[in-house]
Amino acid sequence: MGSATRRERVVRMSVEQPLWRALTAYRVLTMVYAIGLFASAYEVYERPWVGIAYFVVLAVWTLATLPQVSGARRCTKRFLTIDLAVAVAGILLSPVAGHERAITGGSTLPSIWTAGAVLAWALKGGWRWAAFASVLIGVVNVVQRGDISRSIIHNVLLVCIAGIAIGYVVEVARASERTLARALEIEAATRERERLARDIHDSVLQVLAMVQRRGTALGGEAAELGRMAGEQEIALRTLVAAGLRQPSRTSEDLSQGAVVRAVTTYAAADAPGGADDPEDLRPLLSPHADARTTFSAPGTAVLMKPAAARELAAAVGAALDNVRQHAGEGARAWILVEDEPDAVIVTVRDDGPGIPEGRLAQAEGEGRLGVAQSIRGRLRDIGGTAELISVPGQGTEVELHVPKKK
């Protein structure tokens, strides 16, 4: 991802995963509850062996299928169908076991375990699947009881409302995840385009601009070469600016998993334990010192993360390029480095004519991205800020502020 770094690790975690873990616990606990309920009323069953056989199947099925309710990928339609069939069979076998209360309104053999089957449908397929499963359970209860009583309606409504509500929450969570993945794709692609634009500005565009100026100054055939270089510079700047404004199409080019891995890798360089040893900023800036540029820095090392130090140094270089191009031949520049407890501040100041009001916005519209991308864009990528102060006739000052990580 180039030299840009992130200030925090990007980790994608499914927001529905805690619901699957809760469902796993619910199924086990309600299985134990149903068995305990059956054992407490064992003597009133006319055919308790029916209940025993059912609970053996229920226990084996519940424990053996715990991996299937650990996530949406492993929870297949076949599993959901069999799981719902186990719940339906338990309801229909309740009167066969011979418990009078199973007919007159008491608890069925699986008791509240049946709600777990409905919730599995909700987590897998959303509220529509939950509505289907809960209505089926309600119909089976009515068939098993032989009538529609207040208690049956109450129980069926509770299961329906809980299942549909959780199914709706899951659908919203999945939509949010898709939106987040799309935002990460756009961010990754945008940052890459900005990096490429900065590289082009710092190399090709600068050379073309220099050829144009020198060719115009020399005249003759060199002037024609300068004119052609100027035309190519304008065309390339227009292309770069259009590329930065163009909406990302990363959904066609990158899978969600690939983008998340890319952004996570992008952030890992700045994560604890993943960065290189700190680098002294001073050697990166001192080469800029010459007869017209004064460099001032602390006597001790100004330590920064290598990627951040290089981006900050490149932004200083871009600021000095602007001084050379726009401040005039006799303009002087000063570089001041301040190593504060919580930040590194680099100030680039010149005594040129300053920047007329509105010129920066006009330059950005023309594709001249020296300030917008080579300076502000670089500082933004490393979590810093760039402030430009210019008064016509009194020079320009660019303050680059990069917070230190704790």
Side-chain angles (χ1 to χ4, degrees), residues 74-232:
R74 304 190 66 176
C75 186
T76 63
K77 291 182 179 179
R78 179 182 179 184
F79 161 77
L80 290 173
T81 302
I82 299 175
D83 197 55
L84 196 60
V86 172
V88 169
I91 296 172
L92 297 178
L93 285 174
S94 296
V96 177
H99 192 346
E100 182 65 21
R101 291 190 60 201
I103 302 176
T104 59
S107 175
T108 58
L109 285 176
S111 184
I112 58 176
W113 186 91
T114 56
V118 174
L119 294 178
W121 280 72
L123 292 180
K124 175 65 177 182
W127 70 269
R128 294 174 181 82
W129 286 32
F132 164 77
S134 56
V135 168
L136 178 60
I137 292 294
V139 170
V140 171
N141 271 285
V142 171
V143 171
Q144 178 260 321
R145 313 264 180 169
D147 65 351
I148 302 178
S149 63
R150 179 177 297 179
S151 62
I152 292 177
I153 295 176
H154 174 76
N155 293 335
V156 169
L157 282 177
L158 282 179
V159 173
C160 285
I161 292 173
I164 292 174
I166 291 179
Y168 179 75
V169 168
V170 168
E171 289 186 0
V172 171
R174 287 172 180 162
S176 299
E177 281 191 343
R178 289 192 295 269
T179 301
L180 174 61
R182 174 62 177 163
L184 291 175
E185 292 176 7
I186 294 173
E187 180 185 17
T190 300
R191 288 184 180 276
E192 181 64 12
R193 284 200 300 268
E194 290 180 353
R195 185 190 68 80
L196 292 174
R198 288 197 296 266
D199 290 345
I200 292 173
H201 176 272
D202 293 346
S203 56
V204 180
L205 291 176
Q206 297 284 17
V207 171
L208 290 174
M210 183 186 68
V211 171
Q212 181 189 21
R213 291 195 304 272
R214 296 294 297 274
T216 302
L218 292 173
E221 294 184 357
E224 177 64 15
L225 180 61
R227 184 189 64 79
M228 295 174 61
E231 292 177 353
Q232 294 303 312

